[in-house]
Amino acid sequence: KHTPPTTIMHNNNICDATIQFRVRHACAVILFLLTINVWYMHTKIAQSTPWRRDLSKAGSSLADVTAEYLPPLPNIYTNNHNHNHNNAGGGSGSTFKSLLQMAQDGLNEVKEDAFDALGIESSQDHIIGNVSSYLDFAVVGFPKCGTSTMMHYLNTAESWVPDVEMCQLNTHKNKVKLIQKLKKHGESNPNQKRGIKCPASAESALSHKHYRKYFPNTNFITGVRHPVEWFESFYNFRVNNVKLQKGDFPRPNELIGQSCGKTRPHPPLCTHRARFGFFLSFFGKTPMDTDEELDLLDQTTGGFARKFAMKQAKIGAANGTKVFLYNMDQLADQNSTRTEQFREDLRGFVGLKEPLPPVLHHTPGKRHEEEEQAKRNALKINICEKQYDKLREVLVKEGTNAAKWILEYFVKSDEVVVSDLAFFAEGLDKWQYDPCAGKKSLKDRS
């Protein structure tokens, strides 16, 4: 009889198989724990920093308004917050999907940081080589602070700014498209300065990171505005320009605080976004080493905002780029001497040779048919009405702290340029007062 061969498993083979099984098991456990940890950390960060939203997951709700107005909040905060407050029958399936997305977003950031540490490009970016010369300046903030005016104004024979907002640096995606657009224009117009506009970039920690990585020599143009005027303008802009749906517009008094994530539709709005000083600190132009300075940036978030701003400022301090800061009052100034000086200072900042013409104010937004426009106008607010007293009180407090930090710290940096500092300071001094005092509307102000 034929006897089949006997298979003998040697001890070393058994050992190898056992080791492989344990390695695979250990890797699976580590990956699972990493995913849970990333989700937990980002959830905690999101709860403490609702001013950060990842634009890349904004979705189709942005169809009727430019995504560039979104503040750079991580998408995980959006998902998490919506399930807590706005989930009407979303079910466990959508909740599970949100958790997976949270982990994926966190892993994407970890992956980018790992690529940065290794000195190579991210697989998401596909950007090879030095592109820092492609962008000379950027109009980066703030929404409803004259950024559209600047975008059109700086489209000259010597400088070019696309007539659409370019906010790819606020996200993890589409940076290649931006760079390709800048490269193509530079090849056909080699003597023009190249710029872009994105009103929310000053608020975006991710945007600052990408500027440091890809455009470390780019200078910034940033506008600010009295927070009460800013809020009314921003609220009415949203009413006029987004798709109206039932329940979309919380009343203004519901927007007090830092829960911008619950304000539907996009772009999000809350009083926290009036903390211009906090976001300007990301540029890293001030010492950030005293309680007096840090208290002006963080009084309500239990210290997290203070630590976050200190981290961002420390990174930005090595950048060396310059910031041209203006107040909206300067764009509407009727004093010919000051306005001429403003244009000259801006011309020099951008690096143009020819004088700039008088500033022409540009108002963005949609124009609707008469019936539709009347419907939207009825939803707009007059922030000077008595029902908004508390809202204005909060905004004035935010403005007081922001103005004090800007004047006592930010503008004292050699890398911050302000035209006619005395007039600029005069405008910011008004932030400690309610502009509606004794007036029926902001249109009545002198």
Side-chain angles (χ1 to χ4, degrees), residues 125-294:
D125 295 329
H126 302 293
I127 298 170
I128 305 299
N130 187 349
V131 299
S132 61
S133 63
Y134 292 1
L135 185 61
D136 298 291
F137 65 94
V139 182
V140 294
F142 288 90
K144 310 312 298 173
C145 291
T147 55
S148 293
T149 295
M150 281 292 175
M151 177 180 70
H152 291 276
Y153 185 59
L154 292 174
N155 245 320
T156 72
E158 296 182 77
S159 58
W160 169 78
V161 183
D163 60 0
V164 294
E165 294 173 358
M166 310 291 290
C167 289
Q168 291 86 345
L169 296 177
N170 290 20
T171 75
H172 286 294
K173 295 183 177 181
N174 300 323
K175 294 184 288 295
V176 169
K177 293 181 179 180
L178 168 64
I179 291 174
Q180 287 174 339
K181 188 177 185 72
L182 294 171
K183 182 177 184 291
K184 182 178 180 180
H185 185 86
E187 290 173 344
S188 57
N189 301 271
N191 296 323
Q192 274 191 321
K193 301 289 185 180
R194 286 169 282 183
I196 60 173
K197 171 214 172 185
C198 178
S201 286
E203 302 170 69
S204 169
L206 183 59
S207 174
H208 283 269
K209 173 184 175 180
H210 287 153
Y211 271 107
R212 288 190 295 269
K213 180 176 180 180
Y214 300 112
F215 304 111
N217 303 316
T218 297
N219 291 320
F220 302 98
I221 300 172
T222 304
V224 293
R225 188 177 191 177
H226 193 299
V228 173
E229 299 173 10
W230 165 84
F231 188 96
E232 183 188 75
S233 178
F234 205 169
Y235 188 92
N236 291 340
F237 173 86
R238 296 169 75 241
V239 168
N240 193 72
N241 290 281
V242 302
K243 184 177 180 180
L244 295 180
Q245 296 179 356
K246 185 177 180 181
D248 268 346
F249 287 94
R251 298 309 296 165
N253 288 332
E254 299 176 44
L255 305 178
I256 296 174
Q258 59 185 42
S259 298
C260 288
K262 73 178 180 182
T263 62
R264 294 289 179 262
H266 295 298
L269 173 62
C270 62
T271 57
H272 186 84
R273 291 191 72 184
R275 292 187 172 187
F276 299 130
F278 174 79
F279 297 116
L280 288 173
S281 72
F282 291 2
F283 287 107
K285 306 304 181 187
T286 68
M288 302 286 283
D289 57 1
T290 64
D291 289 336
E292 289 76 14
E293 177 182 0
L294 295 171

Side-chain angles (χ1 to χ4, degrees), residues 78-90 247 261-264:
T78 308
N79 291 334
N80 188 48
H81 192 94
N82 286 349
H83 286 292
N84 287 338
H85 297 276
N86 298 321
N87 187 6
K262 73 178 180 182
T263 62
R264 294 289 179 262

Side-chain angles (χ1 to χ4, degrees), residues 7 31 36 76 129 156 160 229 261 272 299-300 306 319 361:
T7 301
L31 181 60
I36 295 299
I76 30 184
T156 72
W160 169 78
E229 299 173 10
H272 186 84
Q299 295 189 342
T300 63
R306 170 188 295 223
N319 199 339
H361 185 72

